[in-house]
């Protein structure tokens, strides 16, 4: 089948999916981010398909730009989102995709347009990730469509150049702490508690919290030693206060101690009930995670020592060392008992 | 079958699941957090089942404490994790669950113990979320098991009290910015890029990035006005640099402008290639999100005005106002053109 | 422990998991697709384990066929699904796995059987993805079990050959929507296959495909009758061709038949290898799903009759009716046999 023929056989694509509880906030409004993700998935599929519709390097369409997008109506859990995408312009190295989103209430049959979006893709070769491949030209049903597309292409090209310059500037202003200090690897994440994170009582499953804690601790460890790191142990964790559906939790981690072959990371979980602000933020959980670093054959590597700044960090390091020595002694005692 | 009989029929539970790419890091080591989450799911099922094994209030077992847990061996993608849990002690208001995790390589048949964990659960009533219900006493196969369990119970009770006091202390030291300032609602999250976030080329799907950006912007908006908020529009987004699998991305948002009925939030995406540290952190994407606040009938609410501190915030506010007025003018022009 | 010994030690497997909001529809009924996915995961684990229980090529069990499966009772959010699988027959190149699903309400202790399923797997070599390896023969506790298994094996082999031929025909063009017509409820979705959808060989897990098929069939059913609908049964499904990572799959559904209390929906899965466009799109799977409609107390509701347009729809309706009457007769016969 010729490239042109294939393109004309599938000039558009339609994705549809039922909106689920985890796609929405507590009130049932689907997150804008869920819709943006579907829009981009449709764009990526049709863009990749078009760019592979002729012989030559196989490639994947990478998103280069999204034009301003309005959310015209809210979408709700239980509705079916229809995302339809079609290619509307091609330049030598880019593809313009236009996407429409429709929300259908399958119980009443009501449909409403929620979004119209325009995306630009650039195809990168599967053989050489940094090589941009040529885009097969599309056929326009009317010549003026090509002219209008060209105008949009030139306009966005200009704007991309402008923001590129602006962006370079911003980044340099960010101050970087010195490597191997506590501040250097310190990390935190926020997580909006969704329905699937919760028990029947509407409280977060302890396991969900622990997974996030391990994720943050792992990022702290990887930032410190920049190798393959794995969890070696978790100290006792106490869950003092329950975390409710709809809360935002902040999970923060900082390195407290390094031995020759291990790192100890302290992790805090703070819960913020957002809407019921009068209740205030509170600390829900804290714990110490120990990570080790592994080489290609899964053998432990040496850990760069933590650089301490100030009395407090020194104090926490000493406490970490005490825990480390206690656990080591305990492991030895257990070993002897089992022999 | 009577409730009491069921408890004796099913005194243990086994969960098992194949480990997938999304459960592991780039090298293929399963995240400790994935294992902790499965451990807790098994504990929650058996704890809840036991606490409901007699007449009275229906309840859900909430995790109160996890004892120190060691990760004895790494687990890999494609292995089957077997998580088995059994109840080993009951006090009046808590249940001790012991969990073992085994990794089975179904290709070679090799099995190894990866974890042994001890969890404590407290049952809360479904009718009254703050009421702790009585735990039905378990039957011990040997009397010494009960004595040993009681010792473990007393030891953990003591430790919980201790850390509770320590925790109260820490929290008060956190300084809180004034409400409605930029600093008050400012938020950021980190996300470890997993296989399912990426295209065939190993680059993050633009849609995944946009979803995270919308999530952070939504949290900033909700923190500011503490109501149900939804995305109204997203300004043009340029994807200057690709983000690779295995990177950690930091997505930060800060409020720049409020009109009567809308908020503008600036969102930054910074990528940190962790392991390839020589490449350095870089700013991958920036964008402006506009959110509105809705009441119960999905009608827009007034937005509390942003309190500005310092010249820079003032400047950003003015720039936001210009964008706001431009977009408003453009919408009006579009409307007229379509009439 | 030797491989052969392991196979005899663990001839069965049990998966269990709490049902969460995203596993269910708005009313709280767990999607049939969620259950089908767990059934296949259990089947894949035990099938792969068995086929690797002797020296030789390491391999992965790929789903080749699922026998007709009935959904005997609805399952709800908060219940624990117990999926147990055991191997019941082996031919030279295939394994039969029987799976039972039990829903446990851990609050009341009530348990009910929701599904019994039979799956056929074929082991493919990890070294050479297109090579089928020999299946180690199982040991039967009674000789008649082997004979019965052989009969089931021959019967399904014949049926697979038949449907393979039928599969050639491609989906007809989309008509326009009057309510209760086939065109009105006809739906399709597109899914980009990600790493976590795939086995170690890079092929889509059969369970992932079945979950998407159930989702589309559910949308067709909901569009037709605009009520709470649940999966009642799935006819035998044959997996003719494997679907690879990076493909885009299109899952389409159309209503073929309605009885007084049930709807039959035909579902097609077409795979499009995007990047390797020269390979062309192909039909990978087809199946018939039966849905029923439930009121608030989970009692079946009457179904609006399907409006037929044209000879082809009339013909498909008659074929659906034949299947409906055959299944009804078979259910009655089974019932009598068990009395």
């Amino acid at each position: 089948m010729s490239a042109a023929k294939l393109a004309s056989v599938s000039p558009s694509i339609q994705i549809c999916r039922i909106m689920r509880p985890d796609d929405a906030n507590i009130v049932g409004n689907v997150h804008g981010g869920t819709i943006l993700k579907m829009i981009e998935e449709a764009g990526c599929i049709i863009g990749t398909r078009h760019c592979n519709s002729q012989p030559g390097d196989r490639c994947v369409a990478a998103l280069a730009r999204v034009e301003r997008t309005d959310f015209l109506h809210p979408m709700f859990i239980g509705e079916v989102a229809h995302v339809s995408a079609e290619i509307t312009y091609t330049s030598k190295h880019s593809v313009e995709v236009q996407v429409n989103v429709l929300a259908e209430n399958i119980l009443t049959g009501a449909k409403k347009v929620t979004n119209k979006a325009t995306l630009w893709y650039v195809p990168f070769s599967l053989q050489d990730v940094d090589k941009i491949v040529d885009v097969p030209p599309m056929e326009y049903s009317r010549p003026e469509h090509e002219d209008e597309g060209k105008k949009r292409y030139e306009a966005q090209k200009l704007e991309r150049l402008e923001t590129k310059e602006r962006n370079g500037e911003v980044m340099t202003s960010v101050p970087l702490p010195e490597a191997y200090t506590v501040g250097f690897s310190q990390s935190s994440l926020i997580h909006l508690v969704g329905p699937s994170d919760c028990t029947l009582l509407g409280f977060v499953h302890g396991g969900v919290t622990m997974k996030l804690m391990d994720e943050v601790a792992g990022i702290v460890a990887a930032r410190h030693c920049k190798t393959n790191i794995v969890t070696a142990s978790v100290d006792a964790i106490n869950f003092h206060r329950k975390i409710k559906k709809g809360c935002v939790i902040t999970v923060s981690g900082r390195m407290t101690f390094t031995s020759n072959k291990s790192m100890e990371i302290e992790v805090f979980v703070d819960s913020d009930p957002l809407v019921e602000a009068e209740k205030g933020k509170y600390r829900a959980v804290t714990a110490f995670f120990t990570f080790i670093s592994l080489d290609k054959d899964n053998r432990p590597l040496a850990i760069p020592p933590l650089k301490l700044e100030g009395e407090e960090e020194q104090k926490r390091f000493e406490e970490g060392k005490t825990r480390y020595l206690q656990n080591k002694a305990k492991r030895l005692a257990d070993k002897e008992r089992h022999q």
Side-chain angles (χ1 to χ4, degrees), chain A residues 35 70-75 101-103 112-116:
Chain A
I35 298 171
D70 290 309
F71 291 77
L72 308 170
H73 285 104
M75 199 185 284
V101 186
L102 209 83
K112 51 194 187 200
V113 174
T114 63
N115 301 74
K116 286 170 188 287

Side-chain angles (χ1 to χ4, degrees), chain A residues 328-339:
Chain A
K328 203 173 171 178
K330 201 163 166 283
R331 265 205 310 278
L332 281 173
D334 282 357
K335 221 174 180 176
E336 271 167 29
R337 231 197 307 151
H338 286 106
Q339 272 169 353

Side-chain angles (χ1 to χ4, degrees), chain A residues 48-60:
Chain A
T48 301
R49 182 196 279 163
H50 179 84
C51 295
N52 286 288
S53 63
Q54 64 180 17
D57 265 16
R58 301 299 88 195
C59 61
V60 172

Side-chain angles (χ1 to χ4, degrees), chain A residues 171-185:
Chain A
M171 197 49 198
T172 48
S173 70
V174 179
L176 267 179
E178 193 193 346
Y180 307 128
T181 59
V182 174
F184 182 75
S185 58

Side-chain angles (χ1 to χ4, degrees), chain A residues 59-71:
Chain A
C59 61
V60 172
L63 182 63
R65 177 178 164 91
V66 184
E67 300 294 341
R68 181 184 165 79
T69 308
D70 290 309
F71 291 77

Side-chain angles (χ1 to χ4, degrees), chain A residues 62-311:
Chain A
L63 182 63
R65 177 178 164 91
V66 184
E67 300 294 341
R68 181 184 165 79
T69 308
D70 290 309
F71 291 77
L72 308 170
H73 285 104
M75 199 185 284
F76 299 95
I77 297 173
E79 291 189 335
V80 174
H82 296 262
V83 182
S84 53
E86 59 171 333
I87 291 174
T88 43
Y89 182 74
T90 51
S91 75
K92 196 176 178 215
H93 287 136
S94 68
V95 177
E96 185 198 50
V97 180
Q98 292 198 357
V99 183
N100 288 309
V101 186
L102 209 83
E104 179 196 3
N105 181 323
I106 45 176
L107 302 185
T108 65
K111 287 180 178 184
K112 51 194 187 200
V113 174
T114 63
N115 301 74
K116 286 170 188 287
T118 304
L119 299 89
W120 295 89
Y121 285 88
V122 173
F124 286 89
S125 163
L126 267 179
Q127 276 70 48
D128 173 0
V129 159
D130 293 318
K131 187 183 152 202
I132 297 176
V133 305
D134 285 0
V135 173
M138 72 172 282
E139 278 169 42
Y140 300 89
S141 52
R142 290 192 197 177
E144 60 264 38
H145 287 176
E146 182 164 11
D147 298 340
E148 289 162 14
K150 186 151 198 179
K151 273 182 209 154
R152 292 193 301 270
Y153 170 72
E154 296 297 345
Q156 62 88 26
K157 202 174 162 185
L158 196 70
E159 234 195 281
R160 267 162 78 178
L161 269 175
E162 282 172 17
T163 53
K164 200 170 184 176
E165 281 163 23
R166 233 189 299 143
N167 248 13
E169 205 183 293
V170 178
M171 197 49 198
T172 48
S173 70
V174 179
L176 267 179
E178 193 193 346
Y180 307 128
T181 59
V182 174
F184 182 75
S185 58
Q186 195 166 285
S187 307
S188 75
L189 66 80
I190 47 177
H191 175 76
L192 181 57
V193 172
S196 284
D197 298 330
C198 294
T199 65
L200 282 179
L201 283 177
F203 293 126
V204 176
H205 274 289
V208 170
T209 311
M210 289 195 285
K211 188 167 188 281
L212 291 169
M213 293 170 85
D214 178 75
E215 194 177 326
V216 166
I219 289 173
V220 172
R223 280 187 169 154
H224 184 80
C225 62
K226 305 188 181 308
T227 51
N228 177 34
I229 49 86
V230 297
T231 319
S233 68
V234 187
D235 256 34
I237 313 179
N238 294 300
F239 293 79
H240 298 298
R241 296 184 56 178
K242 286 171 289 180
I243 302 169
K244 262 172 112 175
K245 190 157 71 181
C247 280
V248 168
I249 53 182
T250 306
V251 185
S252 323
R254 63 177 176 207
M255 196 161 290
T256 44
F257 168 76
T258 50
S259 74
N260 197 16
K261 294 270 169 74
S262 72
M263 303 161 266
E264 187 196 61
I265 296 118
E266 188 172 14
V267 182
F268 306 91
V269 181
D270 295 322
S271 175
D272 180 352
L274 276 195
V275 175
E276 303 163 290
E278 69 285 2
K279 294 198 178 166
K281 243 175 133 164
Y282 57 89
R283 178 139 299 169
V285 196
T286 60
F288 293 100
F289 281 71
T290 300
F291 275 73
I292 55 172
S293 166
L294 297 180
D295 70 7
K296 279 180 191 173
D297 306 312
N298 285 306
R299 280 174 311 208
L301 288 168
I303 303 292
L306 188 63
K307 278 189 194 161
L308 300 172
E309 296 172 318
E311 259 175 62

